[in-house]
Amino acid sequence: MGAQPLRLELYTRPGCHLCDDLKMLCERLAGEFPVQLRQVNIEADPDLKARYDREVPVLFIEGRKAVKYRTTEGALRRLLRRRLLLRRVLGT
């Protein structure tokens, strides 16, 4: 049985080039890591828009805010590795 994928939630809005960049980075790393990416359009939810209007893109890994605006491929790779290691160590 394979490992459960890491849950990634990417808060975005239409027409946001930073959002598109972070989404492509997540999709690229999905070839290396077991991830399940869910994109959330904050424009569709007034509460999310009020909370994250000036912060998108925001990436959550397993429900924890991990990236705001932008990151590098190496930095995101380290975050994903760290989360997988914590999962193994803690059994979560």
Side-chain angles (χ1 to χ4, degrees):
M1 178 192 238
Q4 282 288 102
L6 293 173
R7 291 177 296 107
L8 306 182
E9 285 189 327
L10 179 58
Y11 287 14
T12 67
R13 70 164 35 100
C16 169
H17 74 280
L18 291 176
C19 300
D20 294 340
D21 291 347
L22 189 51
K23 180 183 176 192
M24 287 189 323
L25 180 56
C26 290
E27 289 173 342
R28 189 166 48 244
L29 290 179
E32 293 179 42
F33 296 92
V35 299
Q36 179 181 22
L37 177 62
R38 178 175 166 250
Q39 191 170 347
V40 179
N41 177 359
I42 66 163
E43 299 290 329
D45 182 322
D47 292 333
L48 289 178
K49 183 174 181 183
R51 185 167 184 183
Y52 297 105
D53 188 45
R54 296 181 183 261
E55 291 190 18
V56 293
V58 180
L59 178 66
F60 291 83
I61 300 174
E62 298 285 297
R64 298 183 70 125
K65 187 188 283 188
V67 174
K68 183 167 81 170
Y69 305 130
R70 62 177 57 162
T71 189
T72 65
E73 185 170 327
L76 183 53
R77 185 178 282 118
R78 284 188 296 275
L79 287 170
L80 295 173
R81 278 188 190 133
R82 185 177 306 132
R83 184 60 196 136
L84 286 171
L85 179 62
L86 280 171
R87 182 186 274 180
R88 278 189 224 122
V89 170
L90 300 176
T92 60

